[in-house]
Amino acid sequence: MQNRIKVLRAEKNWSQQVLADNIGVSRQAVNAVERGKHDPSLQLAFDIANQFNLRIEDIFFPEEQSTSEQGE
Amino acid sequence: MKRSKQDVLFVKLFMIAMAIFLILIAVQTFSLALLEMPMWLKVVVTLMPVLPLIWAFFIFRARYRALDEYMKALTGEAFLWTLAMLCFSSFIYGMLAMKFPMPTVELALVTPIVFGCHGLIVQILLWKDNAESN
């Protein structure tokens, strides 16, 4: 699963640690989700989305969708 | 790296358990060597160091339950690797021991090796997740 967390973090000038502290997980967890190494639970996805005042589908999208969007 | 209060508490309690373990090992060694005791007391004194290890297990369990979902998954995978290595190595040893004379293995070393291997594997998995995407 792909996501826009890195871009959104950069817009807010947040480090991974700041986001991790805000949502109550480890920095490693944010890093793994951001890099697509770990698919977050629904609760964690909601927590991340809330931090950016966005919907889950505005942040996370399946591999195929991200590939097709890149091709457009 | 920033450490949460939970991390600090975990490390403190774990280190206390390990310190008690070492003290009890010393007590066990010296009392068995220097004191005359009935058999039941010798057994009790010999097994005393197990108690802080059991306490350490419960400290680790509490710590595991407080981990976030990613670290829980990673810790679980590290245990899977540790279990696989332990099972395969003991099985290989057993198979060889059935056919060839083998050196004896100190079973008391299994627990500290499992503790150590698990910690090391968690760090390797974390490093791998970071390195693969860099």
Side-chain angles (χ1 to χ4, degrees), chain B residues 32-53:
Chain B
L32 287 177
L34 301 174
L35 302 174
E36 281 296 320
M37 291 182 282
M39 183 55 78
W40 69 268
L41 192 55
K42 278 185 182 174
V43 172
V44 170
V45 168
T46 306
L47 293 179
M48 272 191 322
V50 178
L51 293 175
L53 291 183

Side-chain angles (χ1 to χ4, degrees), chain B residues 10 13-25 28 46-61 107-116:
Chain B
F10 164 73
L13 289 176
F14 196 80
M15 293 313 286
I16 290 170
M18 289 304 106
I20 294 171
F21 170 75
L22 291 175
I23 291 166
L24 290 179
I25 287 283
Q28 177 215 62
T46 306
L47 293 179
M48 272 191 322
V50 178
L51 293 175
L53 291 183
I54 293 171
W55 185 42
F57 166 77
F58 282 101
I59 293 166
F60 188 84
R61 179 175 170 266
L107 285 178
L109 292 177
V110 171
T111 301
I113 287 173
V114 165
F115 275 35

Side-chain angles (χ1 to χ4, degrees), chain A residues 16-67:
Chain A
Q16 287 182 342
Q17 187 66 61
V18 169
L19 178 58
D21 290 343
N22 287 350
I23 57 180
V25 297
S26 62
R27 188 200 60 77
Q28 289 90 340
V30 169
N31 183 52
V33 172
E34 192 174 292
R35 291 168 185 265
K37 295 284 170 192
H38 174 70
D39 288 338
S41 66
L42 205 49
Q43 183 60 55
L44 182 54
F46 271 118
D47 290 343
I48 292 169
N50 283 341
Q51 287 301 311
F52 298 113
N53 294 317
L54 292 169
R55 295 174 304 169
I56 289 177
E57 57 266 40
D58 296 329
I59 300 177
F60 297 96
F61 32 88
E63 297 280 347
E64 298 145 21
Q65 191 180 332
S66 68
T67 311

